[in-house]
Amino acid sequence: EVQLLESGGGLVQPGGSLRLSCAASGFPFSSYAMSWVRQAPGKGLEWVSGISGSGVSTYYADSVKGRFTVSRDNSKNTLFLQMNSLRVEDTAVYYCTKVWRQQMERVFFDYWGQGTPVTVSS
Amino acid sequence: EIVMTQSPATLSVSPGERATLSCRASQSVSNNLAWYQQKPGQAPRLLIYGSSTRATGIPVRFSGSGSGTEFTLTISSLQSEDFAVYYCQQYNNWPPETFGRGTKVEIK
């Protein structure tokens, strides 16, 4: 059974940093790309970032490019999202998602974690 | 960036009735279209990919159709557990993979 367990969310001031983690199990982690998708309160879904199974290729939404960094540790089956220079508009629930293939090309998200909330406020 | 437009925003349906949800892309996405279901307080769940292929464990009452710019999700006979928000997502032009704003299916 695929399981994705996010952690690391919380309350942070504008300009601050947070590091999200996602512990994965139930599938060969390094064989699949992974992504982060967020949902602002009462809003829809927004793809944030993705990383290939090997970790070599990374991708970002324009809204977070230069501020967020996605990475993975395949030896520990863990995905990360380092979020710097946080803004009020980054407030959202952040979902860790498994991608259906190894590369971040034409992907949909076949499994989702329960999400970790991030609140950016002074 | 491809814009996905879902309609209606809210759909009121009685249990046992058929529900038809629409999703339109601002340019062709071929059949690279997925549908997700999200219940309150829960994470989204993949229902359909490739426009019409049901994901693992999804009941046959859920069906998808369409290609190019026009897509439809049909729930043939609504069950109580189907009242939720449904999102479409294109994955033909990336990044970014883009989602529609959702259709809420509520009890009539």
Side-chain angles (χ1 to χ4, degrees):
Chain A
E1 179 191 6
V2 172
Q3 291 193 337
L4 302 169
L5 184 61
E6 303 97 333
S7 61
L11 174 64
V12 62
Q13 292 187 338
S17 298
L18 277 177
R19 189 191 197 203
L20 307 184
S21 299
C22 172
S25 61
F27 64 100
F29 186 66
S30 63
S31 294
Y32 294 92
M34 299 289 291
S35 268
W36 291 95
V37 176
R38 68 185 180 184
Q39 186 170 35
K43 302 296 184 182
L45 301 168
E46 179 189 17
W47 173 81
V48 172
S49 180
I51 185 168
S52 62
S54 66
V56 169
S57 301
T58 57
Y59 306 86
Y60 300 93
D62 286 345
S63 57
V64 306
K65 200 171 293 183
R67 301 186 298 121
F68 289 13
T69 302
V70 62
S71 62
R72 63 193 295 161
D73 184 341
N74 285 346
S75 69
K76 296 182 178 179
N77 290 358
T78 304
L79 174 72
F80 302 100
L81 185 67
Q82 177 66 45
M83 305 187 294
N84 298 331
S85 303
L86 281 161
R87 305 168 179 169
V88 171
E89 55 265 34
D90 294 320
T91 295
V93 174
Y94 284 72
Y95 293 103
C96 167
T97 71
K98 173 186 171 291
V99 169
W100 72 283
R101 59 187 301 182
Q102 189 170 47
Q103 300 301 325
M104 276 296 300
E105 299 175 5
R106 293 186 172 164
V107 300
F108 55 87
F109 313 104
D110 55 2
Y111 291 93
W112 298 60
Q114 281 305 300
T116 186
V118 171
T119 302
V120 185
S121 174
S122 54
Chain B
E1 175 176 322
I2 294 182
V3 177
M4 306 301 292
T5 303
Q6 292 187 241
S7 61
T10 303
L11 185 62
S12 298
V13 185
S14 299
E17 289 189 339
R18 182 186 194 92
T20 302
L21 289 66
S22 295
C23 175
R24 174 178 294 177
S26 59
Q27 64 188 78
S28 176
V29 298
S30 186
N31 68 335
N32 294 310
L33 191 286
W35 291 92
Y36 302 85
Q37 176 194 66
Q38 186 177 33
K39 298 179 182 179
Q42 295 186 17
R45 175 177 71 148
L46 176 67
L47 295 176
I48 300 282
Y49 61 92
S51 176
S52 61
T53 302
R54 278 186 300 278
T56 303
I58 302 303
V60 296
R61 64 180 181 273
F62 290 92
S63 62
S65 63
S67 66
T69 62
E70 301 283 343
F71 300 88
T72 300
L73 175 69
T74 301
I75 311 171
S76 60
S77 177
L78 271 160
Q79 307 298 303
S80 57
E81 62 266 29
D82 300 336
F83 293 96
V85 179
Y86 293 83
Y87 294 96
C88 63
Q89 176 233 327
Q90 70 82 21
Y91 52 98
N92 193 66
N93 289 38
W94 59 276
E97 290 78 2
T98 49
F99 295 86
R101 292 188 174 185
T103 290
K104 181 180 181 180
V105 177
E106 64 176 24
I107 300 175
K108 187 174 182 180

